[in-house]
Amino acid sequence: MSVAPWRGDLAGALHRNRRLPYARYLQLATIGADGRPANRTVVFRGFEENSDRLQIITDARSQKVGQITENAWGEACWYFPKTREQFRLSGRSILVGADCTEAFLQRARRTAWEKLSDRAREGFAWPQPGQPRAGLEAFEVATPDPSEPLPQFCLLLLDPDRVDLLQLRSHPHDRRLYLRQEDGTWLVREVNP
Amino acid sequence: MSVAPWRGDLAGALHRNRRLPYARYLQLATIGADGRPANRTVVFRGFEENSDRLQIITDARSQKVGQITENAWGEACWYFPKTREQFRLSGRSILVGADCTEAFLQRARRTAWEKLSDRAREGFAWPQPGQPRAGLEAFEVATPDPSEPLPQFCLLLLDPDRVDLLQLRSHPHDRRLYLRQEDGTWLVREVNP
């Protein structure tokens, strides 16, 4: 498989911002059951193998999982502070939970789980997110098995079909749109910032 | 007017992250005409006077202005890298354009324009955003009058009625919801992260 043309720009931004751990944080917008937009920070966990889908992890009990189940559309906004570049990645998300029967997706989910630290894995055993605050003892959980994802561990794959790159370092700024066509190829257009 | 209870948390985060210029950048999610969520980085320009509304500036020709005109709901996600705090601010946005007849809003719009650098003001005289890239000469614009906003200069006021604060530095993390009631007072709830 050939990678999408915006992957080179993104790889460059990731490389040049690599000293900032939070350069791997992006904001994922979805639509809530109440019709309002929802927006939160997530962590980029690399691309799915042989794919242009971004890997993100989440708790199946979080609001975004319910939102994406109802409406798969999302837009991630990813700002790179050092190089002053913004990527807007719009597309559908796919959720890979414990009940997913696609073997290659379950493998990707398991691999993502294995790569986590013990501490990060423990977070998935914490009490239900968003509920009234539980006592401290409820957060003292056993260290989960690193080889067996907890049922609430969910892999989220964002599949962009439109990428809007804005580069603020040049004057005037540079802006480029990448648009995926029906046949899977990408159109590239230079537009006004 | 008394300020909303989350303002103290936000002031603290702004202060402790003040050495990072991009700590004033946040991501504003809206809903597009195509029903997809849209998400982009904007700059916090302080609070409106005697109000809890966040001031943001935008070009009236940008997509977000059309989106907000159709659907005022938005959620801003604001991550502070140094203190590892995230504020999610959900509410309606109000647009203050050249045709707004409210005198106090026009004053706020004019003040926001006056505070910009010449270079930032010039950006509002650039060719139409998102259109096919114009030649370089189209970006060589006269320096706009600092005392008279260009017609395309628009002030955006985000009026949060729900604020979700997540603090990642503690273990377990801390999370608090602020919910505005009908009477304008705020409920505060500690919830699970």
Side-chain angles (χ1 to χ4, degrees):
Chain A
M1 188 206 105
S2 65
V3 299
W6 48 269
R7 290 279 298 270
D9 295 310
L10 187 60
L14 278 163
H15 180 71
R16 286 187 289 274
N17 289 269
R18 67 190 178 281
R19 288 200 182 80
L20 302 174
Y22 46 85
R24 296 180 78 83
Y25 297 1
L26 53 156
Q27 278 72 35
L28 178 65
T30 52
I31 299 182
D34 56 2
R36 293 195 193 193
N39 202 3
R40 79 288 284 161
T41 305
V42 294
V43 181
F44 173 62
R45 308 277 176 180
F47 284 93
E48 186 193 355
E49 218 180 333
N50 299 318
S51 157
D52 294 318
R53 301 196 290 204
L54 286 77
Q55 297 185 120
I56 291 161
I57 62 170
T58 182
D59 193 305
R61 302 167 297 171
S62 72
Q63 288 190 309
K64 64 177 137 352
V65 168
Q67 290 167 356
I68 291 167
T69 304
E70 290 297 309
N71 184 339
W73 290 110
E75 183 160 82
C77 181
W78 197 347
Y79 183 74
F80 289 91
K82 193 183 166 198
T83 51
R84 306 189 60 218
E85 292 172 281
Q86 171 184 269
F87 290 78
R88 296 173 60 178
L89 305 125
S90 175
R92 285 178 207 261
S93 289
I94 293 147
L95 292 167
V96 186
D99 57 352
C100 172
T101 53
E102 279 277 17
F104 75 100
L105 292 176
Q106 271 307 340
R107 264 199 309 278
R109 173 172 173 263
R110 184 174 297 268
T111 303
W113 175 259
E114 288 166 354
K115 283 185 180 169
L116 293 184
S117 65
D118 276 339
R119 217 177 200 195
R121 281 190 285 255
E122 284 168 18
F124 288 89
W126 283 354
Q128 168 101 17
Q131 290 301 106
R133 178 76 180 204
L136 260 187
E137 68 290 352
F139 292 89
E140 287 160 9
V141 296
T143 305
D145 182 347
S147 66
E148 186 53 44
L150 286 178
Q152 50 270 38
F153 178 72
C154 196
L155 181 65
L156 187 167
L157 302 171
L158 173 63
D159 186 23
D161 64 7
R162 192 170 69 202
V163 177
D164 183 338
L165 167 59
L166 177 65
Q167 295 173 308
L168 298 173
R169 284 220 287 198
S170 48
H171 189 86
H173 310 322
D174 286 314
R175 186 174 170 197
R176 194 180 301 143
L177 292 182
Y178 295 95
L179 304 164
R180 193 170 66 190
Q181 306 302 293
E182 293 284 331
D183 65 0
T185 61
W186 291 82
L187 278 186
V188 187
R189 284 194 200 145
E190 304 292 332
V191 298
N192 293 326
Chain B
M1 187 204 106
S2 64
V3 299
W6 48 269
R7 290 279 299 270
D9 296 310
L10 187 60
L14 278 164
H15 180 71
R16 286 187 288 274
N17 289 269
R18 67 191 177 282
R19 286 201 185 80
L20 303 174
Y22 45 85
R24 298 181 76 84
Y25 297 0
L26 52 155
Q27 278 72 36
L28 178 66
T30 52
I31 298 182
D34 56 2
R36 293 195 194 194
N39 203 3
R40 80 286 288 162
T41 305
V42 294
V43 180
F44 173 63
R45 308 276 176 180
F47 283 94
E48 186 194 354
E49 218 180 333
N50 299 318
S51 157
D52 293 319
R53 301 196 289 205
L54 286 77
Q55 297 185 119
I56 291 161
I57 62 171
T58 182
D59 193 305
R61 301 168 298 173
S62 72
Q63 287 190 311
K64 63 177 137 351
V65 168
Q67 290 166 355
I68 291 168
T69 303
E70 290 297 309
N71 184 337
W73 290 111
E75 184 160 81
C77 182
W78 198 347
Y79 182 73
F80 289 91
K82 193 183 167 199
T83 51
R84 305 189 60 218
E85 291 172 283
Q86 171 184 270
F87 290 78
R88 296 173 61 178
L89 304 126
S90 176
R92 286 179 206 260
S93 289
I94 293 147
L95 293 166
V96 186
D99 57 353
C100 172
T101 53
E102 279 276 18
F104 76 99
L105 292 176
Q106 271 307 341
R107 263 199 309 279
R109 174 173 172 262
R110 184 175 297 267
T111 303
W113 174 260
E114 287 166 354
K115 281 185 181 170
L116 293 184
S117 66
D118 277 338
R119 220 180 197 193
R121 282 190 285 255
E122 284 168 18
F124 289 89
W126 283 354
Q128 169 101 17
Q131 291 301 107
R133 179 76 180 204
L136 260 187
E137 67 290 351
F139 292 88
E140 288 160 8
V141 296
T143 304
D145 182 347
S147 65
E148 185 54 44
L150 287 178
Q152 49 271 35
F153 178 73
C154 195
L155 181 65
L156 187 167
L157 301 171
L158 173 63
D159 185 24
D161 64 8
R162 192 170 71 202
V163 176
D164 183 338
L165 167 59
L166 178 66
Q167 295 173 308
L168 299 173
R169 284 220 285 199
S170 47
H171 189 87
H173 310 323
D174 286 313
R175 186 174 171 196
R176 192 180 303 144
L177 293 182
Y178 294 95
L179 305 164
R180 193 170 65 192
Q181 306 302 294
E182 293 284 330
D183 65 0
T185 61
W186 291 82
L187 277 187
V188 187
R189 283 194 201 145
E190 304 291 331
V191 297
N192 292 327

